[in-house]
Amino acid sequence: MDTKVTPSASLPVDRTYWNPDVDNALLCIDVHQETHDVKTFTFVSRDGKHIAFSAGQYFAFDAGPHGDMETRCYSISSSPLRPNAISITVKRVVGGKVSNWLHDNLAPGAMVQANGPLGQFIRPARLDQKYLFLSGGSGITPVMSMARELADTALPVDVIFLHAGRSPGDLVFRRELANLATRLKGFRLYFLPETLTGEASWPGLSGRISRDLFQLIIPDISGRVVMCCGPAPFMAAARKISAELGVPTENYIEESFDGAAIEDPPLRIIDQAEHKSFKVEFSKQSRTIDVAPDQTVLSCAKKAGVKIPSSCSNGLCGTCKSKLASGTIDMKHNGGIRQREIDAGFFLPCCSRPLSDLVIDR
Ligand code: FES
């Protein structure tokens, strides 16, 4: 039989790719309710470009009420092997301005501004690598992207995926993960609800992560690369247990956006004559604070109660990006700002120290 295969008209040919240096407009094409307080938003590039990224990376979204937008970082939950669209999965946070705005307002057809992909939470991709994916709550998104990527490659894997949540009803991607575990060889899945509220019967584990639990279900943890994302207490416990059970530091990789990493310079006696502080004015908030030359603008602003949105506190995510109206700074960023933004007068307060008095447009 002579069978001719013709390319589908819907398959892209010579597709151009999203350029993080110039592209920032995303069109929402789908909203999906995952759990009672978690939604997945799917976007395509406004002009149909494919978006290349690594599983574990994130976008910094500018979103919120008109005239009062803020920047928040959301990890991509979709597979990088399906680059025609990206998805983020957002939990509604009590009092969270951006998460609530997204849940209540973002609908298919809406455009949003987003910078990315950003971030270094990327798994070492050796073919024979054994992994432990550990996630708590909505921290599942970057490791879900990794799991989906591994499923899409259709190659053999050795993955233990342990996902913890408040209750069975809070376990994001529960059905999809269970389905994936039934067909992806070498993929072992454990759900760990803390309580069994709302579930008539629960056949599996419950409680919190512990050394005993890890020894029971991950006896070979010391030979695995651990990729961990979740709330700070969850990650602190996971880090401690993993180290106790022999996971080398370089094989323990974690992601956090809780801003806990703002550095506090060590307390020391300052010779005022030698180390004068600079005046840093936040023009929109009518506030002026003192910042020493060895302190970052963000750490001092936070202590003084000046409002600057922030996330990574490490020059990575771009969340704190601000306009410098006057003055000079010493900025050591990690990719969270583009050269054209610096040329336009923007800077990242989280990784910038003053070299003069400053006026900041915030
Ligand atoms: S808070 Fe992430 S770059 Fe400043």
Side-chain angles (χ1 to χ4, degrees):
M1 190 172 70
D2 183 18
T3 308
K4 275 197 183 143
V5 178
T6 48
S8 156
S10 63
L11 282 178
V13 180
D14 290 336
R15 176 76 69 166
T16 53
Y17 273 82
W18 171 275
N19 178 352
D21 284 333
V22 294
D23 293 318
N24 62 3
L26 289 173
L27 171 67
C28 178
I29 56 164
D30 186 57
V31 179
H32 180 72
Q33 189 88 41
E34 301 282 359
T35 69
H36 63 103
D37 60 355
V38 174
K39 284 183 177 180
T40 290
F41 302 91
T42 300
F43 303 92
V44 293
S45 142
R46 177 179 52 186
D47 26 25
K49 294 174 178 173
H50 275 194
I51 302 174
F53 66 94
S54 296
Q57 288 193 297
Y58 60 89
F59 271 75
F61 285 78
D62 294 328
H66 187 64
D68 192 19
M69 295 213 291
E70 294 192 0
T71 307
R72 291 289 185 282
C73 299
Y74 292 108
S75 294
I76 303 163
S77 52
S78 52
S79 166
L81 297 182
R82 303 182 187 197
N84 54 308
I86 60 160
S87 297
I88 59 169
T89 303
V90 180
K91 180 181 165 70
R92 188 190 278 279
V93 177
V94 177
K97 194 195 282 186
V98 175
S99 66
N100 281 296
W101 185 86
L102 289 170
H103 271 250
D104 294 337
N105 297 281
L106 193 62
M111 297 287 304
V112 291
Q113 303 277 308
N115 288 326
L118 298 163
Q120 305 297 325
F121 184 61
I122 296 169
R123 67 184 174 87
R126 282 211 342 249
L127 266 186
D128 59 346
Q129 188 63 68
K130 299 196 313 183
Y131 299 100
L132 168 60
F133 294 165
L134 262 181
S135 59
S138 56
I140 193 173
T141 51
V143 283
M144 188 65 191
S145 175
M146 293 175 197
R148 284 171 163 161
E149 178 187 31
L150 290 170
D152 283 345
T153 61
L155 291 169
V157 299
D158 189 337
V159 175
I160 295 177
F161 194 136
L162 172 57
H163 175 51
R166 265 187 319 221
S167 72
D170 291 302
L171 297 169
V172 188
F173 305 127
R174 179 173 160 187
R175 248 182 289 167
E176 181 179 342
L177 277 171
N179 189 33
L180 206 149
T182 61
R183 64 181 179 82
L184 185 58
K185 309 284 182 295
F187 185 89
R188 265 181 292 157
L189 173 67
Y190 296 98
F191 287 126
L192 186 67
E194 190 172 346
T195 69
L196 299 183
T197 315
E199 196 87 352
S201 66
W202 177 255
L205 304 161
S206 63
R208 292 185 174 189
I209 56 170
S210 67
R211 185 184 168 124
D212 286 348
L213 177 75
F214 278 24
Q215 282 178 314
L216 180 70
I217 64 174
I218 324 157
D220 60 349
I221 187 172
S222 63
R224 293 182 177 269
V225 165
V226 182
M227 307 295 300
C228 179
C229 186
F234 174 85
M235 290 203 298
R239 194 184 313 125
K240 180 168 178 287
I241 299 166
S242 299
E244 285 173 4
L245 296 179
V247 177
T249 318
E250 65 272 18
N251 285 353
Y252 182 87
I253 303 168
E254 65 180 19
E255 177 74 309
S256 163
F257 288 126
D258 66 1
I262 292 177
E263 86 276 35
D264 248 327
L267 197 60
R268 60 188 176 77
I269 297 167
I270 294 176
D271 178 341
Q272 291 297 339
E274 264 187 79
H275 301 278
K276 112 185 190 32
S277 287
F278 294 110
K279 296 281 176 213
V280 176
E281 179 187 338
F282 297 87
S283 54
K284 289 186 179 153
Q285 297 176 61
S286 303
R287 294 283 313 273
T288 299
I289 63 172
D290 290 327
V291 181
D294 62 350
Q295 294 176 307
T296 65
V297 174
L298 180 69
S299 64
C300 292
K302 290 225 156 185
K303 278 184 218 154
V306 174
K307 280 174 61 184
I308 304 182
S310 65
S311 191
C312 71
S313 299
N314 202 19
L316 259 173
C317 66
T319 308
C320 64
K321 196 181 307 158
S322 305
K323 183 88 187 267
L324 185 61
S326 72
T328 52
I329 43 102
D330 174 25
M331 176 166 66
K332 297 208 169 21
H333 70 86
N334 284 306
I337 190 167
R338 300 165 186 165
Q339 188 55 48
R340 66 178 167 82
E341 294 171 316
I342 298 171
D343 295 343
F346 288 90
F347 80 118
L348 300 176
C350 69
C351 56
S352 297
R353 292 166 171 77
L355 297 173
S356 71
D357 291 344
L358 308 177
V359 178
I360 298 170
D361 202 8
R362 273 213 184 267

